[in-house]
Amino acid sequence: MTKRFLLLVFSFLMSFTGFSNDDIWGPTGHRATGKIAENHLTNRAKRKIDKLLEGESLAFVSTYADEIKSDRNYREFYSWHYVNMPLDGKYETSEKNPKGDLITGINRCVKVLKDKNSTVKDKRFHLKMLVHLMGDLHQPMHIGQKEDKGGNTIQVQWHGRGSNLHRVWDESILSKWNMSYVELADNAKRLSKQQVKVIQKGNVVDWMYDTHKLTKEVYASAKVGENLRYRYSYVYFPIVREQLQKGGLRLAKLLNDIFC
Ligand code: ADE
Ligand code: ZN
Ligand code: ZN
């Protein structure tokens, strides 16, 4: 009786907390972005990357940064996964994380990869990080507010179970669709050369602001405690797909410039 009661209380509390260890634009999202990027590399970049990664694909290495995230030896890279900014604020004038953020992380990766004096080991590490971080740059809640940890502390329900707004955007919308990363990449929207060029235009900070427009929309999309269901996926899955594609195209742009 006591045990059953405790279990009941526990499940009840869990359903409200939405406690979760995972804080990742799920593996499928990152891999799809890597795969889409691969489809837009120049032959030269493809060859150089293949050599550096010893045959591993961009899709395969895209999850590496999350694999090392909880390892204390890699603690210095934790804050590279996100950047916090007020919804109506500017990156340039907002408080910076002294440990670094998504923007400084991406810039660091590009710098190491462009540097003739970097070791192969360093280049390999920073290439894997870059593939991942370009995915994170396109997840609206990775550019969220500091006070709610990019939506991690905004409790909502996902099909009746405890979750939070960050997690819904990291993985739930995508996983409900049950598509592999290859299927997602293969079904990316057909774009003209001109459309690709428009998406690839600009720099890392411009791309962050492009995602940040969606961040505002996502914060307004759900009330605390709301039970998000099919309608939510139906409305936002197309946006998730578009973000995966933009991430892939922009990653390809950076890599084609680096490995030219
Ligand atoms: N993950 C962990 N902390 C975060 C934050 N402050 N913003 C976004 N994502 C996070
Ligand atoms: Zn996340
Ligand atoms: Zn990440």
Side-chain angles (χ1 to χ4, degrees), residues 23-25 139 142 166 170:
D23 164 37
I24 46 170
W25 190 223
Q139 205 285 52
H142 276 242
H166 187 105
D170 259 351

Side-chain angles (χ1 to χ4, degrees), residues 84 141 144-154 166 219:
N84 292 128
M141 300 317 276
Q145 304 178 114
K146 187 179 175 187
E147 49 280 25
D148 53 56
K149 295 191 172 194
N152 271 299
T153 65
I154 299 181
H166 187 105
Y219 272 103

Side-chain angles (χ1 to χ4, degrees), residues 160-201:
R161 303 180 81 127
S163 188
N164 65 67
L165 200 54
H166 187 105
R167 187 173 164 197
V168 164
W169 277 80
D170 259 351
E171 53 181 31
S172 308
I173 299 172
L174 254 184
S175 59
K176 200 76 195 158
W177 238 264
N178 208 16
M179 284 171 81
S180 71
Y181 78 86
V182 176
E183 288 168 331
L184 283 163
D186 284 352
N187 286 284
K189 191 172 164 191
R190 292 259 169 90
L191 298 173
S192 67
K193 277 203 171 121
Q194 185 54 28
Q195 286 171 311
V196 170
K197 225 170 163 179
V198 169
I199 290 171
Q200 291 177 329
K201 202 165 159 261

Side-chain angles (χ1 to χ4, degrees), residues 32-46 49 58 185-186 188-197 199-200 244-257:
T33 292
K35 180 88 181 154
I36 291 167
E38 249 153 29
N39 295 340
H40 288 84
L41 291 177
T42 60
N43 285 334
R44 199 174 163 81
K46 213 178 281 178
I49 289 168
L58 294 184
D186 284 352
K189 191 172 164 191
R190 292 259 169 90
L191 298 173
S192 67
K193 277 203 171 121
Q194 185 54 28
Q195 286 171 311
V196 170
K197 225 170 163 179
I199 290 171
Q200 291 177 329
L244 298 178
Q245 187 168 26
K246 282 182 171 181
L249 292 174
R250 290 166 177 168
L251 171 60
K253 169 76 168 60
L254 289 184
L255 296 176
N256 288 336
D257 288 348

Side-chain angles (χ1 to χ4, degrees), residues 73-185:
N73 296 322
Y74 294 96
R75 199 179 280 160
E76 66 187 284
F77 304 106
Y78 187 89
S79 61
W80 285 17
H81 290 258
Y82 59 90
V83 54
N84 292 128
M85 201 166 56
L87 287 185
D88 55 0
K90 284 240 159 277
Y91 174 71
E92 292 81 355
T93 51
S94 58
E95 182 194 350
K96 299 286 182 305
N97 189 334
K99 293 178 179 158
D101 60 36
L102 196 40
I103 302 300
T104 61
I106 291 173
N107 287 339
R108 175 85 199 143
C109 292
V110 171
K111 192 158 183 253
V112 171
L113 287 166
K114 280 187 169 169
D115 187 346
K116 293 196 298 298
N117 297 317
S118 303
T119 63
V120 169
K121 189 168 168 239
D122 260 355
K123 280 192 176 179
R124 191 174 292 146
F125 175 84
H126 286 87
L127 174 55
K128 290 178 180 181
M129 293 299 289
L130 179 62
V131 177
H132 179 90
L133 297 178
M134 284 302 289
D136 282 346
L137 187 71
H138 291 80
Q139 205 285 52
M141 300 317 276
H142 276 242
I143 308 178
Q145 304 178 114
K146 187 179 175 187
E147 49 280 25
D148 53 56
K149 295 191 172 194
N152 271 299
T153 65
I154 299 181
Q155 308 305 327
V156 294
Q157 293 199 12
W158 180 255
H159 292 263
R161 303 180 81 127
S163 188
N164 65 67
L165 200 54
H166 187 105
R167 187 173 164 197
V168 164
W169 277 80
D170 259 351
E171 53 181 31
S172 308
I173 299 172
L174 254 184
S175 59
K176 200 76 195 158
W177 238 264
N178 208 16
M179 284 171 81
S180 71
Y181 78 86
V182 176
E183 288 168 331
L184 283 163

